[in-house]
Amino acid sequence: MAYFLLFLSAFGAATLLPLQSEAVLVGLLMQDKYSVLGLLLIASFGNILGSCVNWYLGLRIEQFKDRKWFPVSVKNMHKAEMVYQKYGFWSLFLSWMPIIGDPITLIAGLLKENFWRFLLIVTLAKTGRYVFIYLLYMGLF
């Protein structure tokens, strides 16, 4: 059950929902009864999968931009597109960051970033974050 809750929190945290998976990971690490590798893999997988959902939504979102309920103004979407175009796929290395990481993955889909390159970079960024959190927890940083 703990692994499933970690997966859900990591998945949700990677979407545009305001969730935090780091606290769940550290809480489970503190219990010292779960596999560290298992926790890191589950958290990474959930977070990466959530980012892939964002990428897919980005592919489909533009068709709704003129709708009244659309949560982002055309002006703000255009601004985000320009930033992504300026820095390109390199900006995906920031996908692990709170607040800006999730919109970056959405914009990557909107701008039709190659999925396999997207997946590789997001996997490195998201997994790297969880490994860093583990190393912090262990006092190695």
Side-chain angles (χ1 to χ4, degrees), residues 78-122:
H78 182 67
K79 255 202 261 187
E81 288 175 31
M82 288 180 58
V83 169
Y84 191 86
Q85 287 172 341
K86 180 177 179 180
Y87 298 104
F89 65 86
W90 296 106
S91 62
L92 289 170
F93 281 106
L94 300 176
S95 63
W96 65 270
M97 292 184 68
I99 301 171
I100 68 165
D102 303 336
I104 288 172
T105 59
L106 185 84
I107 295 299
L110 178 68
L111 295 178
K112 311 216 179 353
E113 178 63 57
N114 175 281
F115 178 73
W116 297 110
R117 179 167 48 193
F118 169 88
L119 184 60
L120 174 65
I121 295 171
V122 167

Side-chain angles (χ1 to χ4, degrees), residues 119-135:
L119 184 60
L120 174 65
I121 295 171
V122 167
T123 297
L124 292 171
K126 302 285 189 159
T127 303
R129 175 200 34 205
Y130 287 118
V131 169
F132 182 73
I133 289 168
Y134 170 69
L135 294 174

Side-chain angles (χ1 to χ4, degrees), residues 26 28-32 132-140:
V26 171
L28 293 173
L29 287 169
M30 290 173 72
Q31 292 182 28
D32 203 30
F132 182 73
I133 289 168
Y134 170 69
L135 294 174
L136 276 177
Y137 169 75
M138 294 300 293
L140 299 174

